[in-house]
Amino acid sequence: MTLHRSHVLVCSGSNCALHSSSFVKDRLTLEISQAGLGDEIRVLETGCFGLCAQGPIMVVYPEGIHYCKVGLEDIGEIVQEHLLKGRIVNRLLFKGTSDKNWMTKDDFDFYRKQERVVLRNAGVIDPENIEESLVRGGYAAFGKALSEMTPSQVIQEITDSGLQGRGGAGFPTGRKWQFTQEAAGDKKYVVCNADEGEPGTSKDRLILEGDPHTIIEGMLIAGYAIGATQGFVYIRGEYLLSIERLQKAINQAREFGLLGKGILGSDFEFDLEIRSGAGAYVCGEETALLNSIEGKRGEPRFKPPYPAVRGLWQKPTLINNVETLANIGPIIQNGSDWFRQIGTPECPGTKVFTLSGNICNSGLIEVPMGMTLREIIYDIGGGIPDGHQFKMAQTGGTSGGCISADLLDVPMDIPSLAKAGTALGSGALLVVDDRHCVVDLAKTFLRFFAHESCGQCTPCREGTTVLLRLMNKLASGKGDAQDITNLQRLSTTMQQASLCGLGQTAPLPILSALTFFADEFHAHLEGQGCPAGVCG
Amino acid sequence: MKSLDELKAIRERAQQALKMRESGDGVVVQVAMGTCGIAAGARGVMMALLDELVLRKRSDVFVTQTGCAGLCEKEPIVTVKVPGKSDVVYGGVTDQKARDIVGSHIINGQIVSDYVLNIKEA
Ligand SMILES: Cc1cc2nc3c(=O)[nH]c(=O)nc-3n(C[C@H](O)[C@H](O)[C@H](O)COP(=O)(O)O)c2cc1C
Ligand code: SF4
């Protein structure tokens, strides 16, 4: 065995990769070996730390020193000063909004206020090494389920945990598993939804990149519970690193006898395949996704029958989101009571949010359900940059609602946000400051829906186009009160009559913006122009 | 094809490598690694410490470096920090003395008084 005195973890998540983290890693490896430290120091790539605005991020163990925005020109100093002489390079530490230097992850609120269940291994392990996953408890929950629990006991545990789907709709996971288990069928399937089409969301991608084995484990447990022998992971095609990492992980799991026939010496059989999507937003909708896997056009199907009864090739199919599946291992391993201690009684567990927009620490965070929007934006997110004021937040992505500063203390969980007239959705959180116009934003959201509507049903196909036309008219200052009435009536029709969630939720950003920012809409009517000075 | 027990064995074997990334409260051995320390042989001392720790299967002990402590004529300087105990500073450490420090102090809890420069009360 070789013992390294230091491990240097370089983030290789997609957001840091955009800041050239792979060059940073290569240069670091080179300079370490030139300094003769190659045998003592191990350099490895790891998943997302979450502080993406500060990337590339590097953490040096055993001290746990956390460096930000590391450029190629900084590597020499890190090697000569820190790795050789043990002197911390202060100028690369995280500064936050204060003058204080933050040394390790435990020092700053961004990490301290988080609770990592889903992201427990991201930024800690080498995601391409199954052994590191095993050390951190990977596949232990599956081993427990297979050797100590019946399928029904597994489902009971998930039901008791109160886990709700993290893909957007928030359906109770245990019940969905039970329906699929009870459905009659000679063959059943488990599908992982990693399409992640919601603008401003990258959590599923970063979970897959940081810890692919946790998804395989979640699907294995699901397969055992519902009686499936085959699983598919539907990943959007642009997610190259997710696909590559997951494929490596699948290969390793097969080598270890964790996928295939006779798993771990039992008679349980399960295997996985990756299918990549071509980037249509609607293909994230579960029945469109099933059509896409079957090689058909990615158009939603009528529901019912639900996929649990008739899914892939008409067989009972369980579809869960990446983040939902990442919760399964910890729940089985630690029990539903443990899970219920996190979050709120109505909505247990954690939620991963993608922070974007006008916020200092944009990136990926995981917090207990029920943390207030204020805490997320100001304590973890570091507030609004450049002295601007908070104006609104859009929760739940493009199909979520826009809420104003009056709602900063809303608990961020599924029922509380639904009550507030918006949605938690997949956990996109777009923060907007006072320089932006709500009408202009709503127009932008509609352009997205008009583009992404699959055109299969009339309320959505025509509705999104007409809504966009109305919004364009309003934004240009040519609208009148009748247009607003029409906007509301058409929205209601779409919510009630559209075939799938896309058309049903497309009006939500407009309706919520109309509720919270009525004055701003009316200002656009009365010929006062755009108060924020954006439209024109 | 692996069984559950084999998985457990792999888990235990690989555990050593990941200990470092836990926010540990274990034993830390610091080697002063200023220019003076390096000139006096601190790098060899560090390698000896690491090698001895591997031989004795003590991957839970972390070896780190610090800068010059201002006692350049006493280099190489090694500080052993055991949680809850006084920090012990050793001076003039050679490769062999480094191995003694691991064996006596870290494994058996006996401070090697011959090489001690200073003991900092906890
Ligand atoms: C237009 C549209 C897009 C969707 N996109 C996604 C997506 O990208 N990822 C996802 O997990 N769920 C998406 N969903 C929700 C899925 O239909 C489904 O509810 C979810 O995958 C179920 O998994 P869960 O119960 O684990 O949340 C989308 C729904 C709609 C209507
Ligand atoms: S609601 Fe829109 S996206 Fe959904 S099926 Fe109808 S046209 Fe297609």
Side-chain angles (χ1 to χ4, degrees), chain A residues 190-196 232-236 275 277 280-301 312 317-321:
Chain A
V190 177
V191 174
C192 170
N193 189 343
D195 190 55
E196 198 163 54
F232 292 96
V233 185
Y234 188 88
I235 310 184
R236 78 180 11 235
R275 290 292 153 95
Y281 176 59
V282 76
C283 283
E285 195 281 332
E286 53 192 14
T287 57
L289 184 152
L290 296 179
N291 277 341
S292 176
I293 293 183
E294 290 181 15
K296 301 181 182 138
R297 270 178 85 125
E299 286 175 343
R301 302 175 180 172
L312 261 187
T317 302
L318 173 73
I319 306 184
N320 274 131
N321 170 256

Side-chain angles (χ1 to χ4, degrees), chain A residues 282 300 452-457 460-461 498-504:
Chain A
V282 76
E452 295 290 347
S453 166
C454 83
Q456 191 180 200
C457 69
C460 168
R461 182 185 61 239
S498 294
L499 175 62
C500 86
L502 192 150
Q504 290 158 12

